[in-house]
Amino acid sequence: MVRGCKVLKLEKILDKHLRTDSLEARLAGNNQFAYLKGRSTDAEMHRLVAQVEKALFNKRQVLYAKADFQRAFSELKISAIRHALERHRVTEGITRWILAMLLNREVQSTLKGALVTKSVQRGCPQGGVLSPLLWNLVMDELLEGLKRNFPSMTAQAFADDVSIWQEGLSYDTIANRITDGLKFTKTWCESKGLALNPGKTDIIVFGNSSRRTIPPITYREFTYQGKAMSVT
């Protein structure tokens, strides 16, 4: 898919216009660590390690789950992007331009000398200047929903990876809470045209190392596309 230089320049102008200090502060405040000034995967991991160490010092257990989305940038519904733009009160004119840019794309491929052209109706452009910001705007809804529905749970994201963890004294309680958080995430993904990648979604237990068996109430029941989530 070839993108014109004029479109890329307009994307760059819009990206700079939309990335206000208040917007970046909101995205960072909901624990996003990708595509933002001063944020990185190192900062994401430092936050996790610090909270886990504090919980272990207080003799509490931590259950951590990292969910990976399959082909997130390619499969995201355009309606999800529209909703995110409206949710963040992007002006109608800019919203219309972005949607027109997304909905008027074509890909071409040649097979045995025949040229095939197909319109693209999903996802963000690969290499698009606006694509990272559009993804962050969409992801903000998930993180805010997790925070609102599970106030004792911690959630954060780096690009298309979202991590959630819960600490507590009762293993069964935190296991049930993480299960509910993963189910919430799965439902949200499906509403946006996305899917979790079971092969890259991991669950890790910190603390109480004598307990090696994961209770069946949580992970044998939580499967996706017929595959059980991996447990460490």
Side-chain angles (χ1 to χ4, degrees):
M1 181 165 55
V2 178
R3 295 172 54 72
C5 292
K6 289 184 179 179
V7 173
L8 291 174
K9 288 179 179 178
L10 284 171
E11 283 190 73
K12 188 174 182 179
I13 292 170
L14 286 180
D15 185 77
K16 185 175 181 180
H17 174 75
L18 293 172
R19 283 184 183 274
T20 61
D21 291 342
S22 59
L23 176 62
E24 291 225 335
R26 173 174 176 172
L27 298 175
N30 280 334
N31 300 325
Q32 293 208 54
F33 287 85
Y35 317 127
L36 297 173
K37 296 175 185 175
R39 311 287 273 185
S40 66
T41 185
D42 289 340
E44 180 196 27
M45 291 305 300
H46 177 75
R47 183 170 183 265
L48 168 63
V49 170
Q51 292 199 14
V52 169
E53 287 180 342
K54 182 179 179 181
L56 296 180
F57 179 80
N58 292 321
K59 302 189 184 306
R60 297 166 71 85
Q61 300 177 82
V62 178
L63 196 57
Y64 166 88
K66 181 182 74 68
D68 176 84
F69 303 152
Q70 297 188 73
R71 303 178 62 194
F73 279 74
S74 300
E75 296 298 326
L76 183 64
K77 288 181 179 178
I78 301 299
S79 60
I81 297 174
R82 179 192 296 112
H83 176 70
L85 292 169
E86 293 171 349
R87 183 170 170 268
H88 288 273
R89 299 183 179 180
V90 175
T91 63
E92 184 179 349
I94 291 177
T95 297
R96 283 203 308 267
W97 187 91
I98 292 174
L99 294 178
M101 181 266 295
L102 293 173
L103 291 169
N104 287 280
R105 292 176 290 152
E106 292 182 341
V107 292
Q108 293 182 336
S109 180
T110 302
L111 179 63
K112 295 182 179 180
L115 180 65
V116 179
T117 302
K118 184 177 181 180
S119 63
V120 179
Q121 300 294 315
R122 300 174 77 94
C124 300
Q126 295 293 323
V129 177
L130 270 176
S131 297
L133 178 59
L134 295 177
W135 173 259
N136 276 5
L137 295 180
V138 173
M139 178 64 79
D140 184 67
E141 181 185 354
L142 172 61
L143 294 173
E144 200 164 272
L146 287 167
K147 182 191 296 184
R148 182 176 59 253
N149 289 279
F150 309 97
S152 65
M153 183 187 298
T154 304
Q156 64 186 32
F158 187 89
D160 56 355
D161 289 332
V162 62
S163 302
I164 58 175
W165 65 88
Q166 177 75 52
E167 65 173 85
L169 296 173
S170 167
Y171 183 89
D172 290 340
T173 298
I174 64 175
N176 289 335
R177 196 67 55 85
I178 287 295
T179 300
D180 290 340
L182 286 172
K183 289 178 178 178
F184 181 92
T185 301
K186 176 175 176 286
T187 299
W188 180 88
C189 285
E190 291 171 347
S191 74
K192 306 300 180 184
L194 303 173
L196 292 179
N197 186 343
K200 293 184 179 180
T201 299
D202 301 306
I203 300 167
I204 304 174
V205 185
F206 297 97
N208 196 11
S209 59
S210 63
R211 185 167 192 167
R212 299 294 184 184
T213 303
I214 304 299
I217 57 169
T218 302
Y219 303 111
R220 290 178 190 171
E221 289 182 3
F222 192 81
T223 60
Y224 189 70
Q225 294 182 346
K227 298 180 181 178
M229 296 301 181
S230 56
V231 179
T232 302

